[in-house]
Amino acid sequence: MKLSVKAMALAGAMVVGGYAVGGTALLNLFFPPYGEHFLMTMSSVYPGYHATRSIGDALVGACYGALDGAVAGCLLAWIYNYFTG
């Protein structure tokens, strides 16, 4: 069985961008200590993203997370398909 590379990339983008980074950033806006250390770690990884508790930074972080998740999902599906060949 082969995995769809496009579907895995889309799923990774939604999970990492929408839930992990974007969701944590939005929850941090309403509940300030929530995910603070995670967001500071992400700000050291993603250039241009700063954990300053603003909508703009939440969107930038979500976009970086979506790109990161898409690449990871694509690589995971490609490696899986290669070894199950």
Side-chain angles (χ1 to χ4, degrees), residues 24-45:
T24 303
L26 287 177
L27 283 172
N28 184 265
L29 289 173
F30 298 111
F31 308 107
Y34 183 82
E36 185 175 325
H37 295 289
F38 172 72
L39 294 174
M40 285 193 293
T41 302
M42 291 298 102
S43 71
S44 71
V45 174

Side-chain angles (χ1 to χ4, degrees), residues 45-84:
V45 174
Y46 299 143
Y49 172 67
H50 309 288
T52 58
R53 297 188 59 232
S54 69
I55 294 289
D57 275 338
L59 290 175
V60 168
C63 288
Y64 270 123
L67 179 64
D68 197 13
V71 169
C74 182
L75 285 174
L76 181 65
W78 182 79
I79 291 169
Y80 177 85
N81 289 339
Y82 178 78
F83 284 111
T84 59

